[in-house]
Amino acid sequence: MPTSLHQQAVDHLGSRIIDGSVLPGEVVLASELEDELGFSRSVIREAVRVLASAGLVVSTKRVGIKVQPAEHWNPFDPLVIRWRLASEGQGAQLRSLTELRVAVEPMAAELAAEHAPAEFCAELLNLAARMRHAGREGDLDSFLELDIRFHALVLAASGNEMFANLAHPIGETLRGRTELGLMPEHPHEEALAWHQGVADAISAHDPKRARESMELIMRRTVQEIYEVWAHKPRLFPRPVR
Amino acid sequence: MPTSLHQQAVDHLGSRIIDGSVLPGEVVLASELEDELGFSRSVIREAVRVLASAGLVVSTKRVGIKVQPAEHWNPFDPLVIRWRLASEGQGAQLRSLTELRVAVEPMAAELAAEHAPAEFCAELLNLAARMRHAGREGDLDSFLELDIRFHALVLAASGNEMFANLAHPIGETLRGRTELGLMPEHPHEEALAWHQGVADAISAHDPKRARESMELIMRRTVQEIYEVWAHKPRLFPRPVR
DNA sequence: GAGACTTCATGCCTGCACAGATTGGCGTCA
DNA sequence: TGACGCCAATCTGTGCAGGCATGAAGTCTC
């Protein structure tokens, strides 16, 4: 309950920026935030420094704390992802993350088939079996948690720390997807077989088959979730040099 | 020249953690850092907050500032990437980023072919032509900068902000690769043709061909750089739940 | 229009009170 | 005697209040 004042300050300003309550280009003063939240200068300053490191604001002398345009925000920052998933930008965030999954997870499966240690293989086989069981029982809560663990484990088994680090936001997208009611009543029998196929192929050190099975899962995932963002406009910021 | 004290403090502790001068599990005290750098408490505290947000440290009462194990570091944080590229972990960082490129860039090319606005297509064609010219002249410096802009533009043209945000670290990867002497004397004629092929396919809204051309580029990239990390061990942290 | 001056918000410093986690001592009980 | 549990001292980050220094913007003068 008593989350630290620092966290509160970061969350207050960060979520307001990302949900559009404070627009890019606007300037807020540290003293305003002090009054608004009733916190002291040090708390506000530390929070601003953290938000600046995520690209949300820049603070300059004589002018104040200026909100940066969205293309400066670090879309891989866990806080930014969480705030976006809780705001109007949820659709665009789900699209970005899902496209990233489609690109990364087949590659992760391929690498896992080449490099995964034995205990990862055993755990993957175990999870696949339990997913099959939970899926056939119609136990969707268990299925979701197992699904999250399965994909996180494949990412970790790739031996690529950037892939492994995507497990958290990807888990949140899976949870978000069920909250939006975008999961089928019963997991498809095919999906269960594909997960089993990924686990089998990785255990058998068969990179090609591991990739192909994961690609099938990803294709189905996109089909199921596509409507959420179908109407969301894409943004094309010019790259900075 | 006078980089802020805050930046200095962040960089001091951050780079020391990532190059292994301070090992995970070690605790440092804020007062030690104050004495070591000669900065005041406020500067140190703000720096620690920023490093904590990147997952490098946690600070708890009565114990101090504890360095976190590497699997807690956010590998997508720009600071973390820069420090890793400048340290012993360079090989592993190049591997991670290159594997990420291999996964993401073909997908980005495919999406760009579906969604890229006209001015992005024009700029891509322009860059491809200039790359061809610089490559045939043997002007490697120009070629490198054009190459970086080309790949950044494809990522931006995908309309996926997470992809677009990878342009910076990927650009640093390309620069690092030339610094390590891993680029051919003259860019291969094939590579020039493939870049042209990507630009053509995106302009022609041909996702399949855009992806395939980019895959060819990526395959060659891996071949050229593979030796850097061939002997580096992979890390397999157990995913946290 | 170029340069000097004023203004004002952040940058940086310091002293103080508080909170919470660790440690060690103390007493109790087996 | 030794193990356990409780409690207080201690240590360190957290948060507060106020001060001076700095430098970017804007203004005024020539």
Side-chain angles (χ1 to χ4, degrees):
Chain A
M1 129 219 71
T3 127
S4 73
L5 299 188
H6 172 73
Q7 278 181 305
Q8 289 181 50
V10 170
D11 200 70
H12 176 85
L13 184 52
S15 58
R16 252 155 229 267
I17 289 171
I18 286 186
D19 75 14
S21 306
V22 197
L23 295 174
E26 277 187 52
V27 174
V28 300
L29 272 44
S31 52
E32 291 174 13
L33 293 171
E34 292 170 31
D35 298 343
E36 202 172 322
L37 293 168
F39 298 162
S40 71
R41 248 193 298 180
S42 48
V43 173
I44 300 298
R45 289 175 48 83
E46 288 164 25
V48 168
R49 283 256 133 98
V50 168
L51 294 173
S53 80
L56 297 196
V57 299
V58 288
S59 114
T60 39
K61 279 184 163 145
R62 180 58 173 82
V63 35
I65 298 150
K66 186 191 275 180
V67 178
Q68 291 283 87
E71 59 261 34
H72 283 78
W73 306 346
N74 181 0
F76 291 98
D77 188 294
L79 292 172
V80 172
I81 292 173
R82 189 174 323 149
W83 289 323
R84 287 198 73 198
L85 284 175
S87 78
E88 291 298 312
Q90 187 195 46
Q93 180 67 58
L94 283 176
R95 176 178 61 205
S96 297
L97 273 167
T98 304
E99 286 173 357
L100 189 63
R101 290 189 69 189
V102 172
V104 164
E105 293 207 40
M107 178 88 190
E110 186 177 332
L111 289 169
E114 291 169 2
H115 304 292
E119 64 264 34
F120 281 76
C121 299
E123 178 73 6
L124 279 172
L125 290 169
N126 176 24
L127 284 172
R130 290 167 65 190
M131 284 177 73
R132 180 181 301 237
H133 185 261
R136 288 183 179 155
E137 296 283 315
D139 182 353
L140 291 185
D141 289 342
S142 300
F143 184 82
L144 174 63
E145 291 308 314
L146 292 167
D147 195 21
I148 290 170
R149 285 175 57 189
F150 184 90
H151 288 278
L153 199 59
V154 173
L155 291 166
S158 72
N160 179 315
E161 62 268 28
M162 302 188 92
F163 291 3
N165 193 261
L166 294 172
H168 276 104
I170 285 176
E172 294 195 46
T173 61
L174 288 169
R175 288 207 180 81
R177 184 151 65 114
T178 56
E179 282 167 17
L180 290 171
L182 295 171
M183 294 291 276
E185 282 293 302
H186 272 265
H188 302 100
E189 195 63 31
E190 298 164 293
L192 297 175
W194 294 333
H195 280 81
Q196 186 70 53
V198 169
D200 288 341
I202 290 174
S203 301
H205 304 297
D206 183 343
K208 186 160 175 288
R209 193 158 63 87
R211 162 182 283 278
E212 288 167 355
S213 299
M214 188 63 94
E215 280 172 349
L216 290 170
I217 296 174
M218 290 298 114
R219 200 165 305 164
R220 166 64 57 87
T221 297
V222 170
Q223 284 171 9
E224 286 172 354
I225 199 178
Y226 179 75
E227 60 187 84
V228 175
W229 66 67
H231 55 290
K232 296 275 178 182
R234 285 177 181 265
L235 295 178
F236 297 94
R238 296 208 61 80
V240 290
R241 283 181 255 134
Chain B
M1 192 81 301
T3 133
S4 75
L5 298 187
H6 173 73
Q7 276 181 302
Q8 288 180 50
V10 170
D11 200 71
H12 177 85
L13 184 53
S15 58
R16 251 155 231 264
I17 289 172
I18 286 186
D19 75 14
S21 306
V22 198
L23 294 174
E26 280 185 51
V27 298
V28 300
L29 303 182
S31 52
E32 291 174 13
L33 293 171
E34 292 169 30
D35 298 343
E36 202 173 320
L37 293 169
F39 299 160
S40 71
R41 278 207 310 278
S42 51
V43 172
I44 300 297
R45 289 177 43 174
E46 288 162 25
V48 168
R49 284 258 133 98
V50 168
L51 293 173
S53 80
L56 297 197
V57 299
V58 288
S59 93
T60 44
K61 286 183 163 138
R62 181 54 175 84
V63 35
I65 298 149
K66 186 191 274 181
V67 178
Q68 292 283 87
E71 59 261 34
H72 284 79
W73 307 346
N74 181 358
F76 290 98
D77 188 294
L79 292 172
V80 172
I81 292 174
R82 189 174 322 149
W83 290 324
R84 287 198 73 198
L85 283 175
S87 79
E88 290 298 311
Q90 187 195 46
Q93 180 66 58
L94 283 175
R95 176 177 61 207
S96 298
L97 273 168
T98 304
E99 286 173 357
L100 188 62
R101 288 189 69 189
V102 172
V104 164
E105 293 207 38
M107 178 87 189
E110 187 178 331
L111 289 169
E114 292 169 2
H115 304 292
E119 63 265 33
F120 281 76
C121 298
E123 178 73 7
L124 279 172
L125 290 169
N126 176 23
L127 284 173
R130 290 167 64 190
M131 284 177 74
R132 180 182 300 238
H133 185 261
R136 288 183 178 156
E137 295 283 314
D139 182 352
L140 290 185
D141 288 343
S142 300
F143 183 82
L144 173 63
E145 292 308 315
L146 291 167
D147 196 21
I148 290 170
R149 285 175 58 189
F150 184 89
H151 288 277
L153 199 59
V154 172
L155 290 165
S158 72
N160 179 314
E161 62 269 26
M162 301 188 92
F163 290 3
N165 193 261
L166 293 172
H168 276 104
I170 286 176
E172 293 195 46
T173 310
L174 289 168
R175 288 206 180 81
R177 184 152 64 114
T178 56
E179 282 167 17
L180 290 169
L182 294 171
M183 294 291 276
E185 282 293 301
H186 272 266
H188 302 100
E189 194 64 32
E190 298 163 293
L192 297 175
W194 294 333
H195 281 81
Q196 185 70 53
V198 169
D200 287 342
I202 290 175
S203 302
H205 304 296
D206 183 343
K208 186 159 175 289
R209 193 157 64 86
R211 163 182 281 279
E212 288 167 357
S213 299
M214 188 63 93
E215 279 171 349
L216 290 170
I217 296 174
M218 289 298 114
R219 199 165 304 163
R220 167 64 56 87
T221 297
V222 170
Q223 284 173 10
E224 286 172 354
I225 199 177
Y226 179 75
E227 60 186 84
V228 175
W229 65 69
H231 56 289
K232 296 275 176 183
R234 285 177 182 265
L235 295 178
F236 297 93
R238 294 209 61 81
V240 290
R241 281 180 258 131

